[in-house]
Amino acid sequence: MSKVKTLILRTPGTNCDVETSYAFELAGSETELVHINKLLAKPSLLSEFQIMAFPGGFGYGDDLGAGRVLANEVRLKLGEKISRFHESGGLIIGICNGFQALVKTGILPGPMKDGQKITLTDNNSGRFECRWTYLSVNPFSTCVFTQGLDRLYLPVAHGEGKLLGSPEVINKLNSAVYYTDKDGKRNAPYPANPAGTLMDIAGIADESGRIFALMPHPERFVRGSQHPRWTGEGLKKEGDGLKIFTNAVKWAREV
Ligand SMILES: NC(=O)CC[C@H](N)C(=O)O
């Protein structure tokens, strides 16, 4: 069985790197936390990995807008390397701040050479939203990370999670995950859709399905005991988020 290695990218202000690393390790991958300066000094490092993760946090203090500084750095200094990584079969996941960075580089919805097409901006509520959300997975999406999944319960924690774009672009997105009410119904108002995001979209993939990013945090629910009501409702064997990581590791191992 071949080994899978995941690079977890760190920047000043990243704060979900350790949890993301833990989730990938539970899913069977080896992981390495790599500071962006290390990757900039030696971009060829990326070819040692099959998966690259952009974790959540407040990269560079979210100055100029969440994910913007990291996005500029990635696009200008690592863009070609990341494109080659993707073209050669690599998987990329962005979680929350990572999603914000990936849309601002243009990596999502992609291709990066076409530039930024959508954005993630201030929540309608005008404040940071920190709550558990109900999600449904789009069964028609080619997203590698969400294959075989149906409903998910995952926490969000963001101030700039509202997905915006022109109707032509939004309608063509490879949407992978939607916010729903607790019965799985779409078009549920706030707080089910915590940011007021267009078309209830919580996560999207690129055309290949190998780049995926979402606002909710799957790495914060990989163990049953991370569920807010695990004592009252019973301990689940694993958290809903784990399958996202195991799907990726399984895919990377099989190619
Ligand atoms: N949890 C996160 O990654 C937060 C993302 C970003 N700092 C925001 O508030 O929108």
Side-chain angles (χ1 to χ4, degrees):
M1 196 185 281
S2 62
K3 259 196 285 182
V4 174
K5 284 183 71 182
T6 303
L7 181 151
I8 319 275
L9 189 68
R10 289 176 50 232
T11 64
T14 304
N15 65 15
C16 302
D17 46 337
V18 175
E19 292 90 331
T20 304
S21 163
Y22 177 71
F24 270 110
E25 285 181 6
L26 266 190
S29 175
E30 289 182 13
T31 64
E32 196 176 321
L33 303 181
V34 178
H35 193 279
I36 183 124
N37 290 349
K38 189 170 165 190
L39 191 59
L40 291 174
K42 195 182 169 208
S44 62
L45 201 63
L46 195 51
S47 50
E48 295 172 20
F49 297 84
Q50 293 78 43
I51 306 174
M52 180 179 193
F54 288 75
F58 294 78
Y60 296 104
D62 279 349
D63 286 358
L64 310 179
R68 173 58 70 195
V69 177
L70 174 62
N72 287 353
E73 200 169 28
V74 164
R75 185 172 53 85
L76 298 170
K77 299 181 185 167
L78 292 168
E80 271 181 35
K81 195 79 210 165
I82 291 181
S83 292
R84 277 205 297 280
F85 174 78
H86 175 238
E87 281 155 19
S88 63
L91 297 180
I92 301 175
I93 183 168
I95 301 171
C96 201
N97 209 214
F99 187 7
Q100 295 162 333
L102 289 178
V103 301
K104 291 177 186 183
T105 53
I107 292 175
L108 276 176
M112 189 175 3
K113 66 173 173 45
D114 292 355
Q116 183 179 347
K117 294 184 191 156
I118 55 173
T119 199
L120 284 154
T121 189
D122 296 335
N123 298 342
N124 277 352
S125 63
R127 63 181 177 86
F128 195 86
E129 294 290 336
C130 189
R131 61 180 74 253
W132 283 74
T133 57
Y134 296 93
L135 304 158
S136 71
V137 169
N138 177 3
F140 304 108
S141 173
T142 54
C143 179
V144 164
F145 296 79
T146 53
Q147 291 306 303
L149 296 179
D150 179 13
R151 306 257 297 271
L152 301 168
Y153 187 55
L154 296 175
V156 296
H158 59 250
E160 297 178 43
K162 183 161 91 168
L163 186 87
L164 284 183
S166 68
E168 304 83 70
V169 175
I170 296 288
N171 287 330
K172 283 200 204 116
L173 289 177
N174 185 3
S175 301
V177 190
Y178 302 106
Y179 294 109
T180 68
D181 68 12
K182 74 173 178 10
D183 301 316
K185 289 210 186 64
R186 299 269 315 270
N187 301 315
Y190 176 86
N193 176 349
T197 202
L198 283 184
M199 311 273 288
D200 326 319
I201 297 169
I204 62 171
D206 76 324
E207 206 181 86
S208 75
R210 285 184 281 107
I211 306 177
F212 170 55
L214 73 174
M215 286 313 290
H217 285 267
E219 82 286 9
R220 293 189 187 178
F221 188 28
V222 290
R223 294 168 54 140
S225 57
Q226 288 170 311
H227 191 285
R229 297 178 298 281
W230 73 269
T231 49
E233 291 179 12
L235 182 60
K236 294 175 86 176
K237 214 168 126 226
E238 60 186 44
D240 289 4
L242 184 60
K243 195 78 202 314
I244 287 177
F245 301 97
T246 49
N247 269 345
V249 175
K250 187 165 172 278
W251 197 92
R253 187 175 284 137
E254 282 168 6
V255 286

